[in-house]
C-alpha cells in the first residue's frame, strides 16, 4: 500500500527517533547517567550488578529501561523503601544489625509548593535545593549491666546516597562502613545536602553484644524549611535557673519577645516550651540527651502545660510577665525535689510552637522541635530559705528568701514580704508628693528624668532590700553575709556556742537587715546575698535631690555590710539584683551606673526602711 505524504513523514520521524534511542542505549550506561545526577551525595557509591541487587534488596527488581526515566514519572520505588514526605516524620523499630531505607523523591524536591517554602534562591533548578534531614533515637537497647554506670548501646548511623543500592542495603554486611556515614550524637543527627535528584536515607542499627536487650526506635524527617529535629549548640542557656531551696526550684526562660506589639498574642497561646528534668545521679537519659522523643521516654520529670492539671503534680508551668522588663516568659516551679541534689533541665520548644512562630513570620507550618543546652540546678540542705515568686507588688522578686515552715507556707511567706514592702513604699509616696512632678519643663527637677522614673527605681531598690535574698547558713558562697545569728532556727535549736557567740558581737551578723524579718518571720541564722550597689545608684540618678536619698561609697563601713558588687566572671551570684539568675548570664560583667553626683552617706529617706 502506497503511503500518503503525511504518513511518509510520520514514518520517517518515528524511524529517526527509534535510531536515536538505540544509539543512546549503546553508548551510555544507566548507572553512569544516574550517578551523575547527584555526585555530592555519594562519595562511597559503587556500581552493583543486577545479580547482586536481589541479595541486597530482596523483592526488588531491576529494569535497565526504567532507570533511564525519573522515578517521579514511572512511580517505581524498591520494595522495603519508605517514601518520606516533607515535614512529616516517620517512626520505626529497628533491630540491631539492620538498616531502614527512606526515599525523598525528586518531584517532592521540585514541587516547592509541597512545603510552602518562600525561599526563591533554593528553587529546584540547576543547583538543586537544600534538603534538611534529621532523626532522633526514641528508644535504644538496654544493657543487663547492673553497675552504676552501665555500658550504653552504640549510636545509630545515618547514610545518604542518590542510590538505594549504596545507602540502604538490607544486609548489614554490605552496608556502608562507619566512616562513610554520620553517627548520631546523644540520640540525634542533623545532615544537610544540596539535592538535585531523589535522595535515599539509610538508618543503620549497629550490632550489639548479647548483653543488650530490646530494639532501637527512631524518628526521621525531611524538610526544606530547616531541621525538623534541631539541637541548638549555643553556649548560653535559653533556660535560667533563678533559685532553689531544699525541695523547690524556680526556672524561667528568656523573654519570649521584646516587641510590645507581640505580647498579647504570645500570652493568648499555649506555653511554647516543655522541660525534661533528671537527677544528675541517674543514667536514664544517657545516650538520648539530644532527642526529644528519647527524653519523653526516659526523663524523670516532664513539665508542660498538662502538668498543671495534676493535683499532686511536682511542677507547675505558666506564661508570666513578672521579672525584669515585663515581657512574656515561661516559668517552671518545681516542688517535692530531693534535698542536696543536682539536676539537669533540658528545655524543648515544641513542634507546634515553632510551626506557629513560622506562620507569624510569613513562613510555613510543620517545622519541628528545638532542643536546647541543658541547664544545671541544685537544691540545698537547709530548710529556712524558701523560694517565692508571683508577688503582687514586688513583681520582679523571684528567689529564695528567709522563711519559717512552722509559720508560713510558700504562698503565705510571699504575701507577708510583699505586704511589708508595699507598706514601706507608701511612706516614700508621701515624700514624693512634695515634689512638683507635673510642673513645666523649666520647673522640673530634671530635664532627663521624670517622677515615674524615680518611682520605678525606688520600688526596685525597696523590694530588693526589704526582701533579702537568702542562702543556707552553711553555704560556701564567699559573698554571703551571716544574718540573725543570735536567733534560734525554726526547730528551736541554736548555733553552737563557739560559733554563735563571736557572731553575736557583730551588729550586722547578730540580726537581719531589718527588724521585720526577725520579729515576724523568725527564720533563724542564714546568709544574705547583698543587693547590688547599682540598685542604690539608680535611685540617686532618677530621683530629685530634695528627697535626701544617698548611697554609701565602697570603702565605707556602711557599704561593706549593706551592698555588694558584681563580679566579672558570672560564676556565682555575688550580689542580688531583681532577675539575677544563678545561671551565668552576660549581666554578670555589667558596669554599674556612673557614681557622679552621688552623695556620700545613707540619707534619712534610705534609713526609713532600715529603722
Amino acid at each position: 500500500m502506497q503511503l500518503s505524504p503525511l504518513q511518509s513523514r510520520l514514518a520517517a520521524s518515528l524511524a529517526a527517533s527509534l535510531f536515536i534511542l538505540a544509539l543512546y542505549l549503546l553508548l551510555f550506561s544507566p548507572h553512569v547517567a544516574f550517578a551523575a545526577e547527584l555526585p555530592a551525595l555519594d562519595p562511597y557509591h559503587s556500581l552493583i550488578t543486577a545479580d547482586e541487587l536481589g541479595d541486597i534488596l530482596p523483592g526488588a527488581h531491576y529494569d535497565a529501561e526504567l532507570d533511564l526515566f525519573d522515578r517521579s514519572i514511572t512511580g517505581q520505588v524498591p520494595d522495603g523503601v519508605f517514601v518520606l514526605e516533607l515535614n512529616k516524620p516517620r517512626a520505626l523499630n529497628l533491630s540491631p544489625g539492620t538498616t531502614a531505607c527512606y526515599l525523598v523523591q525528586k518531584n517532592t524536591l521540585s514541587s516547592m509548593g509541597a512545603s510552602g517554602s518562600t525561599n526563591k534562591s533554593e528553587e529546584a533548578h540547576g543547583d538543586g535545593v537544600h534538603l534538611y534531614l534529621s532523626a532522633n533515637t526514641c528508644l535504644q537497647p538496654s544493657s543487663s549491666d547492673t553497675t552504676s554506670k552501665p555500658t550504653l548501646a552504640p549510636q545509630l548511623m545515618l547514610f545518604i546516597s542518590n542510590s538505594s543500592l549504596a545507602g540502604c542495603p538490607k544486609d548489614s554486611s554490605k552496608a556502608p562502613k562507619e566512616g562513610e556515614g554520620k553517627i548520631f550524637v546523644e540520640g540525634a543527627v542533623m545532615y544537610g545536602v544540596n539535592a538535585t535528584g531523589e535522595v535515599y536515607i539509610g538508618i543503620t542499627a549497629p550490632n550489639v553484644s548479647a548483653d543488650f536487650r530490646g530494639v532501637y526506635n527512631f524518628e526521621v524527617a525531611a524538610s526544606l524549611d530547616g531541621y525538623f529535629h534541631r539541637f541548638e549548640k549555643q553556649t548560653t542557656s535559653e533556660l535560667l535557673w533563678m533559685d532553689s531551696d531544699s525541695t523547690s526550684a524556680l526556672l524561667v526562660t528568656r523573654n519570649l519577645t521584646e516587641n510590645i506589639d507581640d505580647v498579647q498574642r504570645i500570652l493568648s497561646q499555649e506555653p511554647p516550651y516543655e522541660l525534661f528534668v533528671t537527677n544528675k545521679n541517674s543514667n536514664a537519659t544517657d545516650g538520648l540527651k539530644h532527642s526529644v522523643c528519647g527524653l519523653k521516654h526516659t526523663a524523670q520529670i516532664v513539665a508542660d502545660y498538662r502538668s498543671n492539671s495534676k493535683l499532686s503534680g511536682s511542677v507547675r508551668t505558666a506564661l508570666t510577665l513578672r521579672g525584669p522588663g515585663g515581657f512574656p516568659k515561661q516559668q517552671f516551679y518545681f516542688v517535692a525535689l530531693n534535698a542536696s541534689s543536682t539536676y539537669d533541665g533540658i528545655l524543648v520548644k515544641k513542634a507546634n510552637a515553632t510551626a506557629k512562630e513560622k506562620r507569624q513570620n510569613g513562613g510555613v507550618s510543620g517545622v519541628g522541635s528545638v532542643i536546647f543546652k541543658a541547664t544545671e540546678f541544685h537544691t540545698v540542705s537547709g530548710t529556712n530559705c524558701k523560694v517565692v515568686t508571683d508577688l503582687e507588688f514586688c513583681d520582679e522578686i523571684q528567689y529564695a528568701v528567709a522563711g519559717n515552715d512552722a509559720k508560713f507556707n510558700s504562698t503565705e511567706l510571699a504575701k507577708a514580704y510583699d505586704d511589708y514592702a508595699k507598706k514601706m513604699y507608701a511612706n516614700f509616696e508621701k515624700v514624693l508628693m512634695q515634689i512638683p512632678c507635673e510642673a513645666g519643663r523649666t520647673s522640673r527637677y530634671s530635664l532627663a528624668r521624670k517622677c515615674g522614673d524615680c518611682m520605678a527605681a525606688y520600688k526596685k531598690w525597696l523590694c530588693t532590700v526589704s526582701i533579702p535574698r537568702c542562702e543556707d547558713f552553711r553555704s560556701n558562697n564567699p559573698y554571703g553575709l551571716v544574718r540573725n545569728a543570735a536567733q534560734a532556727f525554726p526547730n528551736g535549736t541554736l548555733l553552737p556556742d563557739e560559733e554563735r557567740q563571736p557572731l553575736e558581737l557583730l551588729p550586722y551578723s547578730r540580726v537581719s537587715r531589718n527588724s521585720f524579718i526577725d520579729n515576724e518571720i523568725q527564720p533563724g541564722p542564714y546568709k544574705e546575698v547583698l543587693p547590688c550597689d547599682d540598685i542604690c545608684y539608680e535611685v540617686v540618678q532618677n530621683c530629685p535631690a530634695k528627697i535626701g536619698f544617698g548611697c554609701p561609697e565602697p570603702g565605707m563601713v556602711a557599704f561593706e555590710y549593706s551592698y555588694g558588687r558584681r563580679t566579672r566572671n558570672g560564676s556565682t551570684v555575688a550580689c542580688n539584683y531583681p532577675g539575677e539568675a544563678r545561671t551565668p548570664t552576660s549581666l554578670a560583667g555589667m558596669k554599674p551606673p556612673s557614681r557622679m553626683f552621688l552623695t556620700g552617706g545613707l540619707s534619712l529617706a534610705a534609713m526609713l526602711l532600715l529603722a
Side-chain angles (χ1 to χ4, degrees), residues 357-486:
E357 189 173 84
K358 291 283 285 185
R359 286 197 297 270
Q360 293 294 332
N361 294 332
V364 299
S365 61
V367 176
S369 57
V370 183
I371 189 166
F372 297 93
K373 173 188 174 184
T375 296
E376 183 177 291
F377 64 98
H378 62 81
T379 54
V380 299
S381 58
T383 60
N384 64 339
C385 290
K386 295 295 178 183
V387 171
V388 296
T389 186
D390 297 335
L391 279 67
E392 181 181 341
F393 177 71
C394 292
D395 53 1
E396 293 189 27
I397 300 300
Q398 296 175 297
Y399 48 73
V401 302
N404 184 341
D405 282 340
K407 297 186 65 176
F408 306 94
N409 60 33
S410 295
T411 303
E412 294 167 342
L413 183 65
K415 187 176 187 309
Y417 275 110
D418 203 37
D419 289 347
Y420 171 69
K422 190 173 182 179
K423 180 180 176 182
M424 292 297 102
Y425 187 77
N427 295 335
F428 165 73
E429 287 183 310
K430 294 175 184 177
V431 174
L432 198 60
M433 287 173 63
Q434 310 305 315
I435 305 300
C437 290
E438 306 301 325
R441 290 175 57 85
T442 57
S443 302
R444 290 181 188 170
Y445 71 91
S446 171
L447 294 178
R449 302 288 191 271
K450 298 179 181 179
C451 285
D453 300 320
C454 174
M455 295 169 71
Y458 187 87
K459 177 183 173 181
K460 181 182 293 185
W461 171 84
L462 174 68
C463 289
T464 307
V465 298
S466 62
I467 311 178
R469 191 163 191 162
C470 178
E471 288 199 352
D472 182 51
F473 180 80
R474 301 298 177 189
S475 165
N476 59 6
N477 183 354
Y479 301 101
L481 183 69
V482 174
R483 298 289 199 187
N484 204 21

Side-chain angles (χ1 to χ4, degrees), residues 578-591:
E580 189 82 358
R582 291 194 175 275
T583 301
T585 66
S586 59
L587 287 176
M590 181 175 139
K591 291 183 179 180

Side-chain angles (χ1 to χ4, degrees), residues 27 51 95 166 170 206 311 354 380 418 443 482 530 582 604:
L27 295 177
D51 292 335
S95 298
K170 294 295 182 181
L311 296 179
T354 53
V380 299
D418 203 37
S443 302
V482 174
L530 297 173
R582 291 194 175 275
L604 178 60

